[in-house]
Amino acid sequence: MVAKKIERDVFLFALENAFLHKGKASEGAVLGKTLSSNQSLKKDLPTLRKLISKAVKDANKLSIGEMEVILKEEKPELFEKKEKVERELPELPGAVKGKVVTRLAPEPNGYLHIGHAVSFFFNHYYAQKYSGKLILRFEDTNPEKERTEYYEAIKEDLAWLGIKYDKVKRNSDDIDLFYKHAEALINSGDAYVCVCPVEKSRKLRYDGKNCPCRRISPEKSDKLFTEMKTTLKPGSASLRLKLDMKSKNTTFRDPTIMRIVEAEHPLQGNKYRVWPLYDFANAIEDAKCGVTHVLRSNEFQQRNKLQNKIRELLGMDNPHIISYSRINLEGTPTSKREIQKLIDNGKVSGWDDPRLATLKAIKRRGIVPETLERLAKEVRMTSGSTTISIDALNTINRKILSPKTKHYFFVPSPEKIEVKSKGTFYIPKADAKSMKKGEIFRLKDLFNVKLTTKGKAEFDSDEVKADTKKLQWVDTDAVDTELLISETGKTIKGLAQKEVSKLKLGEIVQFERVGFARVESSDKPIKFIFTHE
Ligand SMILES: [Zn+2]
């Protein structure tokens, strides 16, 4: 059986070589290719040379058209379009080699998804391109939302993506610093404590009318700010910037920069009860960390102006801000609320359900990090809306996996067939059912057999013909295998060749005629999750 497989491989190498060279294969080239695929064949070169000589003759006899038919069946990857030259991302404005600092700024309030990964790859790419630095900074100043588990989960996902950072920071470590800057803004008259009820201040903001608290003196505001940290109740007072209540950019209508929150923070506990809002914390931290280039999705566009304004008031430098459109995966929710709802309703099994677009989920399904990196380069940093179809994602993933995954036979719903004096085999039930007595079919890469009666066959020939039906098969040492198709929630039970029992957890393989799959569990039966065709 092993010899048959080698003979077949050699023939296919010869065929490929002939097809690429106007119908004439060269023995030397085929020998090189064969040996590089299987070093152990060196042990018996004379036999191998004979084998190659015959294969080259056989191959050269075929017309180009016949070659194409066979190769399309056996080596479809040869016919996939040559990959486009990988696109490079554009230069960054004002970038100086060795001086660029970019950052990853996730909030530890949920799991990362594809959109985060693409954004992270942009930042990672530029830090490397300019030999600069990349900072991982947790935007964790919302004690009601952050959870300890997410800090770790984010680091795990980054490790999986292969993104290395130079430094880790947490905004929640800098609360005293935010207080210092808040007090400076109060003293310069650029910020005031507003004590209006929430409803009232919301309405004034909506109507573009000044709030009476704007007239509170810096001294009084300073005293109120101290009280916010000690006695005032949540919602009864907040610190606001004095900007422009008539601004068309509504983020400029005296935005709140600090508020009272009594929830326990996962890292800071109950140490603080006044917390900065996102724009205030983010603006200060980007300046403090020396970030030179902020690459972020354009839902932040209005806020960019506000953040620049905050830095101007504090005498800080502004980074270059580059906006691009946020990336979504078609048909999958990325908002935390939507996903949580699906989990609560039992529609998906959890944050790593393979139908979701979280990194944990797509990893389980067999999407590899290189795919996301290439996706980032493909979509570049466009400003239009970017929705990626699952098909597009799968196409990139397939191209990356194809050359490096091992092929195995998987027989769904196996049906036994005895081949006279050759042994017992299993073939897919669907194929067994459709076959008629006397029909000739090929056990792929092995030989042709003729069906004599139900469940029984006899050897027919070795000859490969383009129109012979080729079936996946396994023999009696095959292992029980289950393949979960996550889109339908169905599990296909079958047998796979025994080599799959040596696979490691998380390994991705190709089941011929079925597609790619990732090892989910190596207990018996071995479980796989289907990736794509
Ligand atoms: Zn007010």
Side-chain angles (χ1 to χ4, degrees), residues 192-197 200-201 204 210-214 216 240:
Y192 60 94
V193 172
C194 171
V195 291
C196 298
K200 184 180 168 190
S201 66
L204 289 171
N210 283 346
C211 143
C213 314
R214 269 187 154 226
I216 293 177
R240 295 174 69 179

Side-chain angles (χ1 to χ4, degrees), residues 16-80:
E16 180 182 343
N17 193 254
F19 183 68
L20 295 173
H21 297 95
K22 296 179 181 158
K24 293 279 165 267
S26 114
E27 296 196 14
V30 178
L31 179 66
K33 200 90 193 249
T34 309
L35 286 177
S36 71
S37 78
N38 187 347
Q39 292 287 331
S40 71
L41 295 175
K42 271 186 184 157
K43 279 180 279 179
D44 189 0
L45 275 180
T47 308
L48 183 63
R49 280 185 196 281
K50 258 186 238 162
L51 199 65
I52 288 175
S53 182
K54 180 177 182 295
V56 165
K57 267 188 210 120
D58 287 346
N60 289 352
K61 266 187 244 162
L62 299 176
S63 71
I64 299 279
E66 287 169 298
M67 291 177 189
E68 196 178 337
V69 169
I70 300 173
L71 287 171
K72 269 189 176 156
E73 273 301 310
E74 301 284 356
K75 297 195 166 190
E77 69 274 17
L78 293 176
F79 297 88
E80 276 181 21

